[in-house]
């Protein structure tokens, strides 16, 4: 099968109309007189043609259009109206060739100001995606749609009549209307004006017809964000480690320079207090700070702490309505909010006076977006901080190996905080070897005898318990012992998960759903078995074994309603529940002084995945969840249940020894040429027909090999091969993995290869720069 390159019809037509060169090279002499200087806008589109296009700015838009505004333009032979972004304005000398004119400017003020425009251009180049696509993802849909606004008519007094009302022969009511407008500080709606002048709409309508009142249709915000009033919280006294860290941050702030600082502080060392004190300095300058957190579950607690210090705090996360997000966007862009707290996309907050960016728990994989544009918030924050000349703080108890290596190389400044506040000790971590436990105990439950005994003691002492199991649902697989048939999703290479509360078997990737079977679908044996443990089953076991205590479950199934995170965390913090069961969302950043025991029910869930970061992720999770205990005066302990107690990641985590883990893991990464000692690009090809998909993946591999060889880029290409999840949502998947020490060269070779790539019908491909998801 042969594969050809092609482009969109609109693209070809637009290129013919706008970029075709004169056959003789330079302009012919008889054309020079036709040349004229005109304002030209460069426009990019979110979809369709993948290039900048020049459009003429008509006279009526010369004083209106600004870089960063959206425009409506004609495209292609049929001049179909398409919305795009104006990314550049410049005066050009135009010859006889005709440029199409912009039809309409869609925004009164730019949605994307110049610093963010520069950022999005870099993202398109680095992440090998289109500029318009990046812009569309940076500006929330609610902002683009004007959610929470309504079109309103505003009235003002015509300029030529200001100060001349006394000389005008007008009826009493009309004069009263004009006097109201003249004295008003702002434009008024017809209803407001009628109420102020104590008249009907008739005199106002008459004056509008005479041209004495000017009207303008504008969009006004109808959704108002109310900032709750919190009791003012005083600063906490800093220990020597915190003070040293703060001094380093303040030095960069006061020096008005960019510096990236990796704040490596163990769990409970007081990193958040250091952030707050640095932000106080920023706010005192009249500037703004962005604080990024990895999970929505962190947002309520972080929000409360920051509001207690700063009052007005904008919170950006996925549970906001479009209208709320738009209202926050407007408040931030006007500089009315000093602190912006949010998840990954908050890195694009339109702060006009940015002074500092903080990335808390910088190691978290949720900072990487898994849909196009596949950016990492850490790297985007780094580029933005550099370009706007402000400090960037990366905080973590378990820094990513990429950031730690950059700190070792001197690119980042490493700040260590090796002690907990009040010199509280780190909790003791004990491993429970499930290989021996399963032979000795009669129970088939998920909670081992040592963990159950530790829970009984902690609860009897009026402490609280956190149990981590990074698997949701009730049973993780369903299988028939009679014929061996395992229930799998018909669309994916994934076992169905039993959710007992819903009474169904569900695919967690494509949401395929069936009723939970009572017999084997193949042989009809009634002995169907539901095996494995998820958080729902663990919750049921806890409720059965610890009847006198209330248990809360936090996972994506139980936390779907708006405000559910806040309610659950508040109940646990207030002691209304004594046991908290959950997935990784409970492992990070939460501070509950009364938690005296943490149990890791299965430390091996991600340890043996086909992913070179599997050990690092397991180490991060164990250390982070262990840090949820021992934060109060009562101390705490951690029990880790595992079938791999001798694994280096488990052993290092049980000792709270980041340096030991990092030294060993970096040694392995360097030996095998994995990040952070190389750059990586992953391409995934997917399609409904396996042979065709495989053949195109092979073709793509040859193109990439040729491109990197021609450019002289030293590259290691793995694949194409079936992806670890070989079939997903009905599509067969093949992946290719490229590694090179020449980042710019690798990206250029891949961009050249994919520029005009035309796959067979129904075959899709994606490119992922610096991938985190290897499945």
């Amino acid at each position: 099968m042969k594969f050809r390159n092609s482009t969109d019809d609109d693209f070809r037509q637009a290129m013919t109309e706008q970029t075709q060169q004169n056959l003789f090279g330079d302009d012919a002499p008889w054309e020079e007189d036709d040349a004229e200087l005109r304002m030209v806008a460069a426009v990019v589109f979110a979809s369709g043609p993948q290039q900048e296009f020049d459009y003429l700015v008509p006279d009526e838009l010369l004083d209106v259009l600004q870089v960063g505004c959206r425009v409506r333009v004609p495209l292609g032979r049929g001049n179909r109206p398409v919305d795009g972004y104006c990314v550049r304005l410049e005066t050009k000398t135009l010859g006889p060739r005709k440029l199409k004119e912009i039809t309409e400017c869609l925004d009164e003020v730019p949605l994307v100001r110049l610093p963010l425009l520069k950022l999005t251009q870099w993202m398109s180049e680095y992440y090998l995606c289109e500029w318009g696509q990046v812009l569309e993802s940076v500006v929330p849909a609610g902002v683009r749609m004007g959610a929470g606004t309504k079109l309103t008519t505003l009235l003002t007094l015509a300029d030529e009549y200001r100060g001349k009302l006394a000389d005008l022969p007008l009826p009493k009511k009309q004069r009263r209307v004009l006097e109201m407008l003249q004295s008003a500080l702002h434009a008024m709606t017809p209803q407001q004006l009628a109420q102020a002048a104590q008249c009907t709409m008739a005199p106002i309508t008459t004056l509008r017809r005479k041209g004495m009142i000017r009207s303008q249709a504008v969009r006004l915000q109808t959704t108002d964000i109310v900032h709750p009033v919190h009791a003012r919280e005083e600063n906490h006294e800093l220990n020597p480690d915190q003070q040293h860290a703060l001094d380093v941050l303040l030095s960069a702030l006061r020096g008005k320079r960019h510096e990236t600082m990796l704040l490596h502080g163990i769990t409970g060392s007081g990193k958040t207090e250091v952030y707050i004190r640095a932000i106080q300095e920023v706010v005192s300058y009249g500037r703004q700070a962005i604080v990024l957190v990895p999970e929505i579950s962190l947002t309520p607690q972080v929000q409360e702490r920051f509001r207690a210090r700063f009052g007005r705090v904008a919170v950006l996360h996925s549970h906001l309505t479009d209208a709320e997000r738009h209202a926050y966007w407007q408040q931030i862009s006007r500089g009315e909010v000093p602190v912006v707290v949010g998840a990954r996309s908050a890195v694009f907050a339109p702060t006009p006076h940015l002074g500092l960016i903080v990335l808390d728990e910088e190691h978290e994989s949720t900072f990487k977006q898994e849909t196009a544009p596949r950016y990492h918030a850490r790297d985007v924050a780094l580029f933005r901080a550099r370009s706007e000349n402000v400090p960037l703080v990366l905080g973590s108890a378990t820094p990513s190996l990429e950031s730690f290596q950059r700190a070792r190389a001197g690119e980042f400044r490493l700040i260590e905080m090796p002690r907990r506040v009040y010199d509280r000790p780190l909790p003791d971590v004990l491993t429970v070897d499930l290989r021996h436990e399963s032979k000795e105990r009669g129970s088939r439950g998920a909670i081992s005898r040592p963990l159950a005994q530790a829970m009984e003691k902690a609860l009897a002492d009026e402490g609280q318990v956190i149990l981590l199991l990074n698997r949701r649902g009730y049973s993780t697989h369903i299988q028939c012992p009679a014929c061996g048939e395992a229930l799998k999703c018909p669309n994916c290479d994934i076992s169905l998960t039993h959710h007992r509360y819903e009474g169904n078997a569900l695919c967690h990737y494509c949401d395929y759903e069936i009723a939970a079977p009572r017999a084997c679908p193949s042989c009809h044996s009634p002995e169907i078995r539901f095996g494995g443990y998820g958080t729902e089953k663990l919750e049921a076991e806890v409720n059965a074994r610890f009847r006198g205590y209330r248990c809360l479950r936090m996972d994506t199934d139980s936390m779907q309603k708006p405000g559910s995170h806040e309610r659950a965390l508040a109940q646990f913090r207030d002691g209304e529940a004594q046991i908290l069961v959950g997935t990784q969302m409970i492992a990070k950043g939460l501070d509950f002084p009364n938690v005296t025991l943490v149990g890791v029910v299965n430390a091996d869930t991600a340890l043996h995945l086909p992913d070179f970061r599997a050990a690092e992720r397991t180490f991060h999770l164990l250390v982070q969840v262990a840090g949820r205990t021992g934060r109060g005066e009562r101390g705490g302990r951690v029990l880790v249940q595992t079938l791999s107690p001798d694994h280096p990641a488990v052993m290092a985590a049980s000792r709270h020894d980041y340096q030991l883990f990092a030294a060993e893991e970096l040694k392995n990464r360097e030996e095998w040429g994995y990040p952070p000692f190389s750059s990586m690009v992953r391409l995934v090809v997917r399609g409904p027909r396996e042979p065709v998909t495989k053949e195109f993946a092979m073709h793509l591999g040859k193109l990439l090999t040729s491109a990197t060889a021609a450019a002289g880029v030293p590259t290691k290409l793995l694949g194409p091969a079936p992806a670890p999840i070989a079939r997903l949502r009905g599509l067969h998947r093949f992946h290719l993995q490229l590694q090179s020490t020449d980042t710019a060269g690798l990206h250029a070779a891949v961009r050249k290869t994919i520029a005009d790539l035309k796959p067979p019908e129904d075959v899709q491909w994606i490119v992922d720069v610096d991938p985190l998801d290897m499945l």
Side-chain angles (χ1 to χ4, degrees):
M1 180 180 293
K2 292 184 178 181
F3 303 97
R4 60 186 179 84
N5 294 333
S6 72
T7 53
D8 185 275
D9 288 340
D10 287 336
F11 173 79
R12 289 198 301 270
Q13 176 64 16
M15 290 297 292
T16 300
E17 293 175 353
Q18 300 191 44
T19 64
Q20 187 176 27
Q21 299 297 310
N22 186 284
L23 293 175
F24 300 102
D26 296 328
D27 288 341
W30 56 83
E31 294 177 348
E32 292 180 357
D33 292 339
D34 293 333
E36 59 176 330
L37 285 174
R38 295 295 301 273
M39 184 64 71
V40 175
V43 177
V44 296
F45 303 105
S47 60
Q50 300 177 354
Q51 187 168 330
E52 294 179 23
F53 293 92
D54 283 351
Y55 282 89
L56 196 63
V57 180
D59 292 342
E60 61 269 22
L61 294 182
L62 287 176
D63 296 330
V64 176
L65 180 61
Q66 300 179 62
V67 172
C69 288
R70 291 172 302 154
V71 293
R72 185 159 292 152
V73 297
L75 184 67
R77 290 191 183 92
N79 288 328
R80 62 187 176 94
V82 179
D83 294 348
Y85 290 84
C86 173
V87 296
R88 191 171 54 258
L89 286 169
E90 56 186 330
T91 303
K92 287 188 175 182
T93 301
L94 302 182
R97 68 187 182 94
K98 299 295 185 182
L99 287 183
K100 296 180 180 180
E101 286 191 350
I102 293 175
T103 306
E104 183 181 357
C105 178
L106 303 178
D107 304 307
E108 295 179 7
V109 295
L111 292 186
V112 185
R113 291 189 170 93
L114 289 178
L116 279 181
L117 196 65
K118 181 180 179 182
L119 174 67
T120 57
Q121 185 177 24
W122 170 80
M123 288 175 62
S124 73
E125 294 169 355
Y126 184 81
Y127 291 106
L128 305 177
C129 52
E130 297 310 316
W131 195 355
Q133 184 182 43
V134 177
L135 286 164
E136 195 81 346
S137 69
V138 165
V139 182
V143 176
R144 298 196 305 270
M145 297 184 303
T149 65
K150 67 177 182 179
L151 198 60
T152 305
T153 299
L154 292 182
L155 305 179
T156 57
L157 180 63
D159 291 340
E160 57 266 32
Y161 295 104
R162 288 193 176 275
K164 302 177 182 178
L165 298 186
D167 302 330
L168 299 177
L170 290 171
K172 183 178 178 181
K173 289 186 178 181
Q174 292 184 19
R175 182 179 300 279
R176 176 69 175 161
V177 167
L178 295 182
E179 288 172 349
M180 284 292 106
L181 276 182
Q182 183 168 258
S183 61
L185 298 176
H186 304 288
M188 305 174 73
T189 66
Q191 293 76 14
Q192 290 171 338
L193 181 56
Q195 184 176 4
Q198 297 180 340
C199 68
T200 64
M201 297 300 297
I204 297 174
T205 303
T206 301
L207 290 168
R208 291 176 67 180
R209 287 176 185 158
K210 292 179 179 180
M212 303 179 79
I213 292 180
R214 298 280 168 80
S215 62
Q216 182 184 12
V218 296
R219 286 204 164 270
L220 295 182
Q221 201 85 34
T222 58
T223 300
D224 191 23
I225 298 295
V226 178
H227 295 270
V229 177
H230 285 254
R232 193 74 177 181
E233 183 180 312
E234 298 301 321
N235 289 337
H236 301 294
E237 184 178 349
L238 302 182
N239 65 21
D241 291 342
Q242 290 174 304
Q243 188 62 56
H244 169 68
L246 179 61
D247 290 342
V248 175
L249 269 62
L250 293 180
S251 174
L253 288 170
R254 292 167 181 170
K256 299 180 180 179
R257 68 178 186 273
H258 164 73
E259 190 173 358
T260 299
M261 289 154 282
L262 179 59
L263 186 57
H264 178 203
I266 65 170
T267 56
S269 59
K271 295 185 291 294
T272 304
E273 184 65 24
V274 175
Y275 304 154
I276 288 174
R277 299 286 279 271
I279 292 171
Q280 286 176 345
E281 183 87 3
V282 171
V283 174
S284 72
Y285 303 155
R287 304 190 72 82
Q288 297 165 285
I290 296 175
V291 182
L292 302 177
V293 292
E295 294 272 4
I296 190 174
S297 62
L298 287 180
T299 302
Q301 195 168 35
V302 173
Q303 174 184 341
E304 288 176 10
R305 289 196 67 176
F306 279 87
R307 279 193 169 138
R309 302 291 185 90
F310 301 102
R312 292 173 67 86
V313 175
V315 183
L316 306 179
H317 55 75
S318 59
H319 280 193
L320 293 177
T321 65
D322 284 341
E324 289 171 332
R325 186 175 292 275
H326 185 202
Y328 268 135
W329 179 278
Q330 295 296 343
Q331 289 185 1
I332 295 167
S333 66
R334 292 193 297 265
E336 297 172 357
V337 181
V339 182
V340 179
V341 176
R344 181 178 60 231
S345 62
V347 73
F348 304 119
T351 49
H353 312 298
L354 184 62
L356 176 69
I357 302 177
V358 175
L359 216 90
D360 193 30
E361 310 292 1
E362 69 85 30
H363 64 277
E364 274 301 321
S365 60
T366 50
F367 281 125
K368 179 76 158 75
Q369 178 154 300
E370 296 302 335
T371 57
R374 294 173 173 80
Y375 67 90
H376 197 298
R378 180 186 61 228
D379 298 317
V380 172
L382 176 57
F383 183 91
R384 183 172 184 185
R386 280 177 175 167
S387 63
E388 299 196 39
N389 197 35
V390 301
L392 169 65
V393 181
L394 307 175
S396 177
T398 55
S400 65
L401 292 180
E402 286 82 357
S403 294
F404 186 66
Q405 177 60 24
R406 292 172 88 166
R408 291 206 313 179
E411 186 178 348
F412 297 167
R413 182 165 183 174
L414 181 62
I415 307 171
E416 298 279 5
M417 294 174 59
R419 287 173 286 274
R420 282 188 157 186
V421 294
Y422 307 118
D423 287 322
R424 288 176 179 141
L426 285 166
D428 293 329
V429 179
L430 305 176
T431 56
V432 178
D433 190 341
L434 293 180
R435 296 171 300 181
H436 300 154
E437 182 68 18
S438 62
K439 297 175 183 177
E440 296 174 0
R441 63 190 173 102
S443 170
R444 302 295 295 175
I447 301 174
S448 66
R449 185 179 303 166
L451 179 56
Q453 291 171 347
M455 290 177 64
E456 289 168 357
K457 184 178 187 309
L459 294 169
D461 293 340
E462 298 185 346
Q464 290 176 296
V465 177
I466 289 179
L467 296 180
L468 170 74
L469 178 58
N470 209 20
R471 287 282 185 272
R472 61 191 180 98
Y474 191 85
S475 300
T476 55
H477 61 272
I478 306 170
Q479 190 169 21
C480 174
C483 69
E485 178 75 12
L487 263 68
K488 284 193 170 185
C489 173
N491 306 315
C492 309
D493 260 349
I494 298 292
S495 297
L496 295 179
T497 299
H498 175 219
H499 289 254
R500 190 169 75 168
Y501 181 78
E502 300 290 342
N504 63 9
L506 180 69
C507 174
H508 286 170
Y509 283 84
C510 74
D511 293 330
Y512 171 81
E513 179 181 350
I514 60 172
R518 296 185 177 182
C520 174
S522 294
C523 70
H524 307 294
S525 167
E527 303 299 321
I528 190 88
R529 288 182 182 173
F530 297 82
Y533 263 80
T535 48
E536 192 180 333
K537 193 173 187 178
L538 178 61
E539 178 189 29
E541 181 178 341
V542 168
N543 286 332
R545 297 179 66 171
F546 299 90
R547 294 183 182 275
Y549 303 96
R550 185 183 174 203
C551 177
L552 283 176
R553 173 166 59 94
M554 286 187 69
D555 54 28
T556 53
D557 297 319
S558 61
M559 296 289 111
Q560 293 182 354
K561 294 181 180 179
S564 54
H565 290 84
E566 291 92 329
R567 287 191 293 271
L569 294 176
Q571 289 171 8
F572 191 65
R573 182 173 55 249
D574 295 340
E576 296 178 24
Q578 295 75 43
I579 304 171
L580 179 63
V581 170
T583 55
Q584 62 178 347
M585 67 169 60
I586 67 171
K588 312 149 195 169
L590 301 178
D591 189 353
F592 299 116
N594 199 42
V595 172
T596 58
L597 176 67
V598 166
V600 179
V601 175
N602 185 353
D604 309 321
T605 52
L607 190 57
H608 305 295
L609 292 175
D611 184 342
F612 71 92
R613 290 190 179 90
E616 182 182 6
R617 288 199 178 110
T618 299
F619 175 80
H620 288 168
L621 189 61
L622 294 179
V623 172
Q624 291 289 335
V625 74
R628 297 318 105 207
T629 187
R631 288 174 169 258
E633 296 179 357
R634 305 176 62 183
R637 60 196 299 235
V638 182
L639 266 70
V640 178
Q641 299 184 163
T642 175
L643 292 166
S644 308
D646 299 326
H647 193 284
V650 177
M651 293 177 66
S654 67
R655 300 171 187 169
H656 303 281
D657 196 337
Y658 177 83
Q659 298 290 346
L660 173 67
F661 172 77
E664 185 65 27
E665 188 67 13
L666 284 171
K667 179 182 175 181
N668 294 336
R669 298 273 186 94
E670 187 171 21
E671 180 180 348
W672 292 100
Y674 280 113
F677 299 100
S678 69
S679 292
M680 182 180 290
V681 176
R682 182 178 186 237
L683 293 99
V684 179
V685 178
R686 56 198 181 201
R689 296 171 293 168
E690 185 176 12
V692 176
T693 307
K694 180 179 180 180
E695 187 175 356
F696 178 69
M698 297 292 290
H699 170 69
L700 179 56
K702 292 176 182 177
L703 291 178
L704 290 167
T705 300
S706 299
T708 52
V713 180
T715 305
K716 180 180 180 180
L717 173 62
L718 300 179
I725 301 178
R727 191 162 173 264
L728 196 62
R729 300 181 184 92
L731 301 177
H732 298 276
R733 304 169 74 242
F734 292 84
H735 67 156
L736 305 95
Q737 182 176 302
L738 297 99
Q739 296 165 227
S740 177
T741 54
D742 181 357
T743 302
L746 176 62
H747 289 194
V750 175
R751 180 175 284 280
K752 183 178 180 180
T753 301
I754 65 177
D756 296 319
L757 193 63
K758 178 66 175 178
E761 186 178 3
D762 295 331
V763 173
Q764 308 163 355
W765 57 269
I766 63 107
V767 59
D768 190 0
V769 174
D770 302 333
L772 292 187
D773 181 4
M774 307 303 294
L775 300 181

